[in-house]
């Protein structure tokens, strides 16, 4: 067993992580952007608790910080050619705050002790996921749920779409919840939760989550049949998608001459409008892009929008295209390297957890590719919160097998 597996964390640290696990899946149904607050809050509390307990921050050492410094260097360098240097500078200030906090949470939970008390985190995740599912159904039945009750002055559309962000967070959390259900109950209970969620999400306004959970299930099933093949498919497929996304959008545009590819006006059609315009802009500077937050200031899209009114595009609704627009092929190369590192990292977990981990990565890549702004604070923190809890649960799920192997040796 690893040294990390022998660690023993104080009860208050485990309790704090359990509180995060309980709140994370459902709090967004009350306040959709709440991840921007609760994840940094618990990350800082965990940092302070670890420092107080061990008088050292040794648990936060990781080569991942090198990747953060490389990204920060590229972001700072892009200020030289940025179309929006003021906005880029403000965004860098936020990222310098939120990225290290999120990274610290994931690194710390990766090194957390695997004693039996960590099972409390699994129970907390299961309870939180149950509340999230109830909140999801309450939202559908009442056309707004708890959010509508707390915000009666909002329009009916705003109340309806308030489910989009918490649905995305619930999907990001699915792998951790699945592994927790499998641990505290059994595989049947875990699969039942996936099926119920798969049936529920299409009744919401979140088309992203509805399709994302189907991809999660398909990837999990493929990995169950052949984890090795699934691993290579996820790795290669992700890299190909990152490098070819602009070309894929241009191909879709070729077949969308009449601009009729739409499913719900203002959603798919609007996204395609934005993707076409952004891709044509990318072609004007494919090597190094236009700097952070470029889309906010571009006025000459040289594209006739059909579903989007005005020319203001806060973000491309596609994280891969956003990387291309802001950093060009240089950024795409770094993004592909990060993806390779993530997928290869799955090999360090036990075989029984890998199918769910591959499924979680595909769900994350899908949401990233069709929806939220890449650098939005709530999104960044939601990703790190889900990743940190998934890492902890996945390591615990495999600790029994690792221990058995060690005993046999």
């Amino acid at each position: 067993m690893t040294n990390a597996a022998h660690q023993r964390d104080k009860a208050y640290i485990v309790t704090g992580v359990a509180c995060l696990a309980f709140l994370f899946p459902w709090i967004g149904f009350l306040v959709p952007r709440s991840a921007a607050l609760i994840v940094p809050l618990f990350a800082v509390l965990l940092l302070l608790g670890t420092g107080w307990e061990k008088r050292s921050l040794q648990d936060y050492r990781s080569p991942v910080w090198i990747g953060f410094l490389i990204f920060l260097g590229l972001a700072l360098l892009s200020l030289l050619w940025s179309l929006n240097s003021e906005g880029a500078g403000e965004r860098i200030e936020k990222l310098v705050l939120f990225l290290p906090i999120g990274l610290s949470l994931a690194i710390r939970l990766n090194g957390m002790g695997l004693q039996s008390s960590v099972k409390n985190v699994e129970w907390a995740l299961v309870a939180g996921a149950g509340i999230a599912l109830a909140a999801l159904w309450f939202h559908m039945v009442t056309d707004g749920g708890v959010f509508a009750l707390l915000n009666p002055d909002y329009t009916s559309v705003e109340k309806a779409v308030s489910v989009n962000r918490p649905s995305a967070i619930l999907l990001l959390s699915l792998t951790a919840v699945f592994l927790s259900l499998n641990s505290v109950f059994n595989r049947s209970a875990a699969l039942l939760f996936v099926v119920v969620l798969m049936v529920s999400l299409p009744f919401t306004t979140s088309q992203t989550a509805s399709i994302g959970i189907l991809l999660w299930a398909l990837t999990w099933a493929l990995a169950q049949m052949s984890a090795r093949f699934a691993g290579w498919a996820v790795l290669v497929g992700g890299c190909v998608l990152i490098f070819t996304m602009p070309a894929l959008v241009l191909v879709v545009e070729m077949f969308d001459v009449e601009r009729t590819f739409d499913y719900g006006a203002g959603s798919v059609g609007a996204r395609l409008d934005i993707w076409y315009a952004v891709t044509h802009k990318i072609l004007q500077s494919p090597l190094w892009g236009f700097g952070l937050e470029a889309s906010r200031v571009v006025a000459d899209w040289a594209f006739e929008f059909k579903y989007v009114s005005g020319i203001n595009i806060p973000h491309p609704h596609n994280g891969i295209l956003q990387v291309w627009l802001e950093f060009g092929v240089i950024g795409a190369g770094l993004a592909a390297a990060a993806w390779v590192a993530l997928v290869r990292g799955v090999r360090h977990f036990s075989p029984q957890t890998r199918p769910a981990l591959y499924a979680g990565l595909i769900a994350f890549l899908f949401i990233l590719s069709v929806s939220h702004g890449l650098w939005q604070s709530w999104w960044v923190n939601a990703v790190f919160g889900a990743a940190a809890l998934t890492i902890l649960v996945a390591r615990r799920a495999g600790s029994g097998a690792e221990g058995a192997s060690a005993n046999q040796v």
Side-chain angles (χ1 to χ4, degrees), residues 24 41 53 91 98 118 145-146 152 171 184 200 206 233 253 284 295 320 343 353 360 398 406:
F24 188 74
L41 175 62
E53 174 197 349
R91 180 59 65 181
F98 283 112
V118 176
V146 180
L171 181 56
V184 300
S200 305
S206 179
E253 186 184 17
Q284 296 178 20
S295 65
I320 298 176
V343 178
T353 64

Side-chain angles (χ1 to χ4, degrees), residues 269-279 303 305 308 313 315-317:
R271 275 171 169 74
L272 288 175
D273 263 2
I274 294 170
W275 294 354
Y276 297 154
V278 169
T279 300
F303 185 83
F305 295 105
V308 175
I313 300 178
H315 58 83
H317 289 276

Side-chain angles (χ1 to χ4, degrees), residues 24 28 90 279 329 334 384:
F24 188 74
E90 293 176 357
T279 300
V329 72
L334 290 176
F384 279 121

Side-chain angles (χ1 to χ4, degrees), residues 318-397:
N318 183 317
I320 298 176
L321 285 182
Q322 188 169 348
V323 168
W324 273 93
L325 179 67
E326 296 179 349
F327 302 118
V329 72
I330 297 173
L334 290 176
W339 180 252
V340 170
L342 284 173
V343 178
R344 288 174 63 88
V346 173
R347 299 182 305 174
H348 299 299
F349 293 87
S350 64
Q352 62 265 36
T353 64
R354 292 174 192 170
L357 291 173
Y358 288 134
L361 285 173
I362 286 297
F364 158 71
L365 185 62
F366 175 72
I367 298 174
L368 181 77
S369 301
V370 300
S371 212
H372 315 289
L374 191 60
W375 313 123
Q376 290 178 303
S377 298
W378 80 270
W379 167 250
V380 171
N381 284 289
V383 170
F384 279 121
L389 293 171
T390 300
I391 289 170
L392 176 61
V393 172
R395 286 187 61 250
R396 174 178 162 73

Side-chain angles (χ1 to χ4, degrees), residues 6 11 27 65 104 126 145 171 192 200 210 237 251 265 320 324 370 380:
H6 287 293
I27 195 68
W65 295 114
S104 71
V126 169
L171 181 56
L192 178 62
S200 305
S210 302
V251 170
I320 298 176
W324 273 93
V370 300
V380 171

Side-chain angles (χ1 to χ4, degrees), residues 193-386:
F193 182 85
V194 174
V195 171
V196 171
L197 196 58
M198 193 182 303
V199 172
S200 305
L201 285 173
F203 292 98
T204 71
T205 58
S206 179
Q207 299 166 8
T208 298
S210 302
I211 299 173
I213 193 169
L214 291 177
L215 294 175
W216 190 101
L218 289 172
T219 305
W220 180 85
L222 176 63
Q224 282 291 117
M225 293 185 288
S226 175
R228 182 179 179 84
F229 175 78
W232 278 107
V234 170
L235 187 149
V236 175
C239 288
V240 170
L241 186 67
I242 290 169
F243 280 115
T244 64
M245 179 64 79
L248 291 174
V249 172
L250 292 177
V251 170
V252 173
E253 186 184 17
M254 288 175 56
F255 289 95
D256 190 23
V257 178
E258 301 297 327
R259 308 287 293 284
T260 57
F261 286 0
D262 188 39
Y263 173 63
S267 182
V268 173
R271 275 171 169 74
L272 288 175
D273 263 2
I274 294 170
W275 294 354
Y276 297 154
V278 169
T279 300
H280 285 288
K281 192 67 179 180
I282 289 170
L283 296 178
Q284 296 178 20
S285 181
L287 294 181
W288 49 75
F290 297 97
L292 277 171
E293 302 289 12
S295 65
R296 292 181 180 272
V297 298
V298 174
D300 56 334
W301 289 110
F303 185 83
E304 183 179 352
F305 295 105
K306 180 177 180 179
Y307 296 98
V308 175
S309 58
I311 59 174
N312 180 39
I313 300 178
H315 58 83
H317 289 276
N318 183 317
I320 298 176
L321 285 182
Q322 188 169 348
V323 168
W324 273 93
L325 179 67
E326 296 179 349
F327 302 118
V329 72
I330 297 173
L334 290 176
W339 180 252
V340 170
L342 284 173
V343 178
R344 288 174 63 88
V346 173
R347 299 182 305 174
H348 299 299
F349 293 87
S350 64
Q352 62 265 36
T353 64
R354 292 174 192 170
L357 291 173
Y358 288 134
L361 285 173
I362 286 297
F364 158 71
L365 185 62
F366 175 72
I367 298 174
L368 181 77
S369 301
V370 300
S371 212
H372 315 289
L374 191 60
W375 313 123
Q376 290 178 303
S377 298
W378 80 270
W379 167 250
V380 171
N381 284 289
V383 170
F384 279 121

Side-chain angles (χ1 to χ4, degrees), residues 66-121:
I66 298 175
F68 166 71
L69 292 176
I70 292 174
F71 164 75
L72 181 60
L74 178 60
L76 290 171
L77 186 63
S78 73
L79 291 175
L80 297 175
W81 61 81
S82 175
L83 293 180
N84 184 14
S85 56
E86 181 178 354
E90 293 176 357
R91 180 59 65 181
I92 290 173
E93 291 176 1
K94 294 179 181 179
L95 292 175
V96 167
L97 174 64
F98 283 112
L99 286 181
I101 289 176
L103 282 172
S104 71
L105 180 66
I107 292 169
R108 180 65 181 88
L109 264 60
N110 182 51
M112 195 169 176
L114 298 177
Q115 74 277 30
S116 59
S117 59
V118 176
K119 197 173 186 69
N120 296 338
V121 177

